[in-house]
Amino acid sequence: MALMHEPTAPYHSAQDALRVLETVARHTTGVTDTELARRTRLGHERLTALLRMLRREGYVEQVADGAYVTGDALSRLGSAHDGERALRDKLQLTLVRLRDSVGAAVYLSRYVDGEVKVTQYADSPATPAVNEWVDFRSSAHATAVGKSLLTQLDHNARRDHLSRHKMARLTSRTITSDRLLLSRLESQPPTVPVLDLQEYAVGTVCAAVPITAGSSVGCLALSLPVAHAHRLRQAADALNRNAAPVLLSLAI
């Protein structure tokens, strides 16, 4: 499967955070922010923001003399015994934090073996998840999740997917023309959230942003009742800005 790669801002943030984390890990007795700035060549403002995020996520800790050392979350993810479970738990905590900050149900999805798969999500009574009335695997043409994942594939991989899944009309807004859908996917900028404006389900709007890590295609998405559609773009932009911790967890 060929992928279409164009790094987004969260990707660059995650890469910079990895550089900081790797530098901290090499200094087992601790390293100051001045030394980190020198070794990573990151500006003061950028480094401060990354360290704040790494501390919040539990990847680094600041000790009594102000130096930074690796945190418990990094140790748990690196554990051969329960690293996979630790990653799932870490991602879930991040999704819950995202849910609360954007005020919407949040989803983590991957494109696995040629299929759309929602791997984790965080909702609440105040931010209910989408009712999966049609299997997400067969409705990629109508969902923000599916379209975001398809934009990250090359043209042939997109065509292959659509050839295996009939583009059923789920609402009056659903695109059922493969030519139109492929044209829209082709012109979708990777830095702009993909939207679903009642294409999958009447009464629900969604947005998704890519989180490609290595050769793995994924996305973060959110859903809102249509009564809150006026918040969709603002929430989507917030989701995009805060996607770096998810990418970082997947990359470690």
Side-chain angles (χ1 to χ4, degrees):
M1 177 180 65
L3 311 179
M4 303 292 285
H5 288 290
E6 187 169 336
T8 57
Y11 174 86
H12 288 302
S13 292
Q15 290 297 101
D16 287 347
L18 274 175
R19 284 165 57 197
V20 174
L21 199 50
E22 287 166 356
T23 305
V24 173
R26 285 197 296 269
H27 293 75
T28 54
T29 58
V31 57
T32 65
D33 52 0
T34 302
E35 182 67 7
L36 280 170
R38 188 179 71 82
R39 291 185 176 274
T40 61
R41 297 182 180 178
L42 293 168
H44 173 75
E45 190 174 332
R46 177 72 164 165
L47 179 61
T48 299
L50 291 170
L51 285 170
R52 188 184 305 119
M53 185 261 281
L54 289 168
R55 288 178 66 186
R56 186 183 67 235
E57 297 294 323
Y59 291 131
V60 301
E61 296 173 3
Q62 198 168 19
V63 291
D65 63 357
Y68 291 90
V69 296
T70 55
D72 289 341
L74 186 63
S75 302
R76 287 195 295 271
L77 288 183
S79 167
H81 176 62
D82 60 356
E84 190 172 329
R85 179 178 176 181
L87 174 60
R88 187 171 181 83
D89 290 347
K90 187 73 185 68
L91 287 170
Q92 191 64 34
L93 284 173
T94 303
L95 292 180
V96 167
R97 189 181 295 122
L98 280 170
R99 176 201 68 196
D100 294 343
S101 66
V102 301
V106 176
Y107 312 78
L108 176 61
S109 304
R110 311 290 289 278
Y111 196 72
V112 182
D113 297 329
E115 300 294 351
V116 172
K117 184 177 182 182
V118 176
T119 53
Q120 289 177 247
Y121 67 94
D123 66 348
S124 72
T127 56
V130 174
N131 173 35
E132 189 179 355
W133 74 284
V134 176
D135 194 319
F136 289 142
R137 290 174 297 180
S138 59
S139 55
H141 65 292
T143 65
V145 161
K147 288 185 287 183
S148 179
L149 295 174
L150 290 176
T151 61
Q152 298 174 65
L153 309 180
D154 68 10
H155 184 77
N156 290 335
R158 292 170 189 161
R159 276 200 165 280
D160 173 71
H161 183 93
L162 296 177
S163 72
R164 292 183 284 108
H165 296 286
K166 178 178 170 58
M167 294 174 60
R169 185 174 297 281
L170 307 183
T171 77
S172 63
R173 294 173 176 264
T174 307
I175 296 173
T176 56
S177 161
D178 59 352
R179 180 179 296 180
L180 177 57
L181 180 65
L182 287 168
S183 173
R184 291 196 179 180
L185 294 176
E186 195 75 34
S187 61
Q188 173 71 31
T191 55
V192 177
V194 178
L195 304 181
D196 156 19
L197 303 176
Q198 300 189 87
E199 296 167 55
Y200 174 76
V202 174
T204 301
V205 294
C206 306
V209 296
I211 51 163
T212 305
S215 62
S216 175
V217 169
C219 74
L220 267 177
L222 62 84
S223 65
L224 288 167
V226 72
H228 292 234
H230 60 282
R231 293 202 297 113
L232 183 62
R233 289 188 182 275
Q234 183 180 6
D237 288 342
L239 188 72
N240 197 25
R241 286 195 307 272
N242 293 286
V246 176
L247 267 169
L248 185 59
S249 295
L250 292 172
I252 290 175

